[in-house]
Amino acid sequence: MSDKQLSWKYAEELVIEPEHIAAARQHSLELGVDAVTPAMGAQLAVLSAASAATNIIEVGTGVGVSGLWLLSGNPEAVLTTIDSEADHLQVARKAFIDAGIAANRTRLIGGRAADVLPRMNEGSYDIAVIDADPASVVEYVEHGLRMVRRGGTVVVAHALWRGRVADPAQRDDIVAGFRLLLKETSASDAVISALSPVGDGLLFLTKVSD
């Protein structure tokens, strides 16, 4: 194992996941849902806390692991989360209830993100988390940047897509989409971008102009 791999493993194992999030992660594993890793979740919580986020939108609920991390960062935050799988939303709703999160702090929306996102208000959110259909990541990020306020942040989970984005031998459409996103945002004057290698990558895009 390389020094970098040891460091990434250390970063993951350093996180002590709260019991209610660990329980949601177990449900995620049982249902075959690819949740954010503990280190990714901890970074989401830090962002939520540091930005004093009160309105958060998430594309791709899963069974609530990332949502629980986001809400843990700010007890005043309200989470709107979208998923096309009704069964997953039901499990996530129970996870939020079991965690003692008030019902008025979560808004769960069922439906395809491509149908739901155009109806969401512009400049209304502090954080937008994109963790859904990887083939549509560029489209979802465009919506995310529209929905967050100036100074708000769009976070793209799995931005290194299972370690494939960094491998020049990998050239499938999903990998190409992530590479295009990373290249264009790193050169954009509209955002400040940073790529964290925890898990399989978190891309942070803070909006600095409309």
Side-chain angles (χ1 to χ4, degrees):
M1 187 177 288
S2 71
D3 290 345
K4 285 186 177 180
Q5 288 172 319
L6 283 170
S7 295
W8 293 333
K9 183 174 184 291
Y10 181 82
E12 289 290 348
E13 294 177 349
L14 184 66
V15 178
I16 299 173
E17 204 158 44
E19 185 176 340
H20 63 280
I21 300 181
R25 182 175 302 285
Q26 182 58 40
H27 291 145
S28 181
L29 291 170
E30 292 168 358
L31 292 170
V33 177
D34 191 11
V36 297
T37 67
M40 293 167 80
Q43 290 197 6
L44 293 177
V46 167
L47 173 64
S48 178
S51 62
T54 55
N55 289 301
I56 303 171
I57 187 165
E58 177 183 45
V59 185
T61 311
V63 297
V65 175
S66 51
L68 289 168
W69 273 114
L70 287 160
L71 291 172
S72 73
N74 186 351
E76 305 300 321
V78 174
L79 174 70
T80 298
T81 183
I82 304 163
D83 205 290
S84 60
E85 298 290 339
D87 291 347
H88 294 172
L89 286 173
Q90 185 175 353
V91 176
R93 182 175 285 106
K94 185 176 186 302
F96 295 141
I97 292 170
D98 290 348
I101 295 168
N104 62 359
R105 292 187 63 206
T106 58
R107 178 188 179 201
L108 283 70
I109 301 175
R112 294 175 61 250
D115 298 327
V116 176
L117 290 176
R119 304 199 299 267
M120 308 309 289
N121 293 333
E122 294 186 13
S124 299
Y125 297 93
D126 304 300
I127 298 172
V129 177
I130 310 299
D131 187 8
D133 176 17
S136 301
V137 65
V138 173
E139 176 187 353
Y140 293 165
V141 168
E142 289 174 350
H143 279 295
L145 289 171
R146 177 184 62 80
M147 293 185 297
V148 297
R149 59 171 175 78
R150 185 178 298 186
T153 299
V154 175
V155 186
V156 184
H158 312 294
L160 292 172
W161 193 244
R162 310 183 193 286
R164 296 166 64 86
V165 170
D167 181 355
Q170 304 297 327
R171 300 181 180 180
D172 61 78
D173 290 345
I174 290 177
V175 168
F178 277 111
R179 285 181 183 146
L180 175 64
L181 174 65
L182 291 164
K183 181 179 179 180
E184 290 193 347
T185 54
S186 67
S188 174
D189 293 330
V191 298
I192 297 172
S193 67
L195 176 62
S196 168
V198 297
D200 60 346
L202 279 178
L203 174 63
F204 296 88
L205 304 169
T206 296
K207 182 177 177 179
V208 294
S209 67
D210 296 319

